[in-house]
Amino acid sequence: MKLMEEKIWQECKILSGSVLKVSSFLNHQLDTQFIMELGKEFARLFAKEAPTKILTIESSGIAIAFAAGAAMKIPVLFAKKHKTSNVSGETYHSVVHSYTHDCDYTVIVESEYLRPGDRVLLIDDFLANGNALEGLLDIVSQAGAVAVGAGVAIEKGFQEGGKRLRASGLRVEPLAVINYMDDYGVVFD
Ligand code: 5GP
């Protein structure tokens, strides 16, 4: 998606050579009109899969997932990183390794919101080593639901996650793929 590449060119910063900072439009401040366009693109890409629900991880996935859910007129569920007092009843859990924080955390989804028969579209902001999406896939499988694909705003194609997920049979659709980055810039697919 050219729009996504242009936005990255214009606004990204690069931290320690391998972390892309897109806080001006996606990870801190949200460019609402731009994110709604991303949602429409995911809706176009996955229309034929007829998803019944979107699943993402808090917090940076939520805005794009919301935009996609609004475009597809389906609910958006986000896996929580903390078992807060309003999490009740039976839950699904999965342990995920965080690329940006370099630690493990547990994601939680209340089972009443994900049921067998759901056709789930996974959405996230970044795909790097694939751990976040694999955690979501684990939760979808615990629920007896079906993952119909994954949409990510930015795939870092020089990391292994995309390859592994596609090899497992999952359809993965990035809106921009970065094939190389260093302290000075990024190279797209
Ligand atoms: P993975 O689990 O695929 O290794 O990493 C994906 C998760 O790590 C995303 O949910 C995202 O929050 C974070 N992440 C990975 N790489 C980057 C990056 O370059 N920039 C930012 N802002 N987040 C990233």
Side-chain angles (χ1 to χ4, degrees), residues 18-20 27 99-100 124-132 156:
S18 64
V19 173
L20 195 72
N27 285 157
Y99 177 78
T100 41
D124 206 1
D125 56 346
F126 278 87
L127 168 57
N129 292 323
N131 296 310
K156 289 153 82 191

Side-chain angles (χ1 to χ4, degrees), residues 26-99:
L26 197 56
N27 285 157
H28 193 15
Q29 173 170 261
L30 301 174
D31 182 332
T32 55
Q33 295 309 300
F34 176 70
I35 290 172
M36 292 313 274
E37 291 306 313
L38 304 189
K40 285 182 206 158
E41 181 64 3
F42 284 131
R44 189 186 67 75
L45 287 167
F46 288 102
K48 287 208 178 101
E49 314 292 347
T52 58
K53 191 160 286 193
I54 288 175
L55 178 64
T56 188
I57 297 193
E58 71 175 356
S59 55
S60 293
I62 295 176
I64 325 169
F66 174 86
M72 302 179 102
K73 298 189 170 59
I74 55 175
V76 173
L77 179 63
F78 57 93
K80 296 194 174 212
K81 289 181 180 165
H82 303 283
K83 193 168 173 65
T84 52
S85 53
N86 62 1
V87 174
S88 61
E90 202 190 314
T91 54
Y92 306 121
H93 301 84
S94 191
V95 176
V96 171
H97 185 78
S98 165
Y99 177 78

